[in-house]
Amino acid sequence: MAAHAATTKTRPLNIMKAGKHKFPELWLDVYVTGTPFEQQQFAELFVRGRCRKAKTPEEADLVVFAGGDDVDPALYGEKAHYTTHFLRERDEADKLLYDLCLSQGIPMLGICRGAQFLHVMQGGKLYQDVDGHTGDHNMYDVIEKRVLPRISSVHHQMVILNDRMILVGACSGKSKVRHLNPTLRDEGSNRDVEAYIYREPCIIG
């Protein structure tokens, strides 16, 4: 980590406004996985934070694992639920990229599927199918201890909280049924994980 961190930008962190949103001036070289459409979406987001596109992961200060198909349940020791659809080629490509980032100490950011994939790479498990996470809802910022309104969700798989992660964002009462595999499920109100951090390696989901 230290060797790579020494190459990152050291400009001061400022907040700039873009509409109703605030973007930190990050000044990072960012490499984004996923389809050209996903890459364009994230490029539009990161350019507001004064970031540049990294041509290769090795040149990046941050590698972003974007959305897409579900994560193969075999990677976390489960059989696939009937709602689970995955591409082994995507999992294999992301695994190679993850190993590269891990070996070179490159920080990783996971969004949607990317957050679920990086959690699985840390030995975590997923709920394969949950209800209540299509549309807007509130999220509780555990670090700042405040409610963030109208967070957008479009996922049916979800990270399961464990002792290694630092919980950053959660919501309560959205999911009522959470399938672990084809035969096991949890029911009732739950604290659903929306955002997390793994300090070692440096991962934000």
Side-chain angles (χ1 to χ4, degrees), residues 184-199:
L184 294 177
R185 69 183 189 184
D186 292 337
E187 295 185 3
S189 294
N190 189 54
R191 185 168 67 162
D192 297 342
V193 177
E194 296 284 347
Y196 67 81
I197 292 173
Y198 283 102
R199 290 197 182 279

Side-chain angles (χ1 to χ4, degrees), residues 81 126-131 158-161 175-181 183-192:
H81 188 263
L126 304 177
Y127 289 117
Q128 291 192 50
D129 188 62
V130 301
D131 60 352
M158 187 169 64
V159 166
I160 298 177
L161 185 67
S175 69
K176 303 298 183 184
V177 181
R178 297 166 295 280
H179 294 269
L180 293 149
N181 56 41
T183 58
L184 294 177
R185 69 183 189 184
D186 292 337
E187 295 185 3
S189 294
N190 189 54
R191 185 168 67 162
D192 297 342

Side-chain angles (χ1 to χ4, degrees), residues 2-188:
H4 185 82
T7 66
T8 60
K9 285 69 178 173
T10 57
R11 298 179 179 90
L13 183 68
N14 298 315
I15 299 295
M16 60 180 182
K17 291 184 178 180
K20 296 182 179 179
H21 304 286
K22 295 180 179 179
F23 291 84
E25 292 190 354
L26 299 173
W27 300 94
L28 299 174
D29 293 326
V30 181
Y31 183 86
V32 181
T33 67
T35 66
F37 175 73
E38 290 168 332
Q39 292 175 357
Q40 179 182 350
Q41 284 186 311
F42 283 101
E44 292 172 356
L45 175 66
F46 279 104
V47 74
R48 300 185 186 185
R50 306 295 177 89
C51 295
R52 295 186 297 264
K53 178 181 178 181
K55 294 181 180 179
T56 67
E58 292 88 347
E59 298 172 354
D61 299 310
L62 177 71
V63 169
V64 179
F65 290 75
D69 293 278
D70 300 328
V71 179
D72 184 354
L75 294 175
Y76 51 94
E78 294 289 353
K79 293 183 179 179
H81 188 263
Y82 77 92
T83 62
T84 300
H85 302 280
F86 57 88
L87 293 174
R88 286 196 174 90
E89 295 83 0
R90 175 69 184 272
D91 289 323
E92 291 168 358
D94 279 359
K95 178 66 164 56
L96 290 173
L97 182 58
Y98 168 82
D99 289 340
L100 174 67
C101 294
L102 195 66
S103 67
Q104 299 199 14
I106 305 171
M108 292 170 268
L109 171 65
I111 307 293
C112 196
R113 178 203 186 275
Q116 297 160 7
F117 174 81
L118 292 175
H119 174 65
V120 169
M121 290 296 98
Q122 298 308 298
K125 289 182 173 285
L126 304 177
Y127 289 117
Q128 291 192 50
D129 188 62
V130 301
D131 60 352
H133 281 274
T134 299
D136 294 344
H137 59 81
N138 294 342
M139 182 180 81
Y140 182 67
D141 184 333
V142 177
I143 305 300
E144 298 292 332
K145 301 188 184 309
R146 63 192 179 103
V147 174
L148 304 176
R150 298 196 64 189
I151 300 301
S152 176
S153 282
V154 291
H155 60 94
H156 83 107
Q157 295 204 325
M158 187 169 64
V159 166
I160 298 177
L161 185 67
N162 65 27
D163 293 336
R164 284 194 54 229
M165 69 168 59
I166 299 171
L167 182 63
V168 175
C171 70
S172 297
K174 287 301 293 181
S175 69
K176 303 298 183 184
V177 181
R178 297 166 295 280
H179 294 269
L180 293 149
N181 56 41
T183 58
L184 294 177
R185 69 183 189 184
D186 292 337
E187 295 185 3

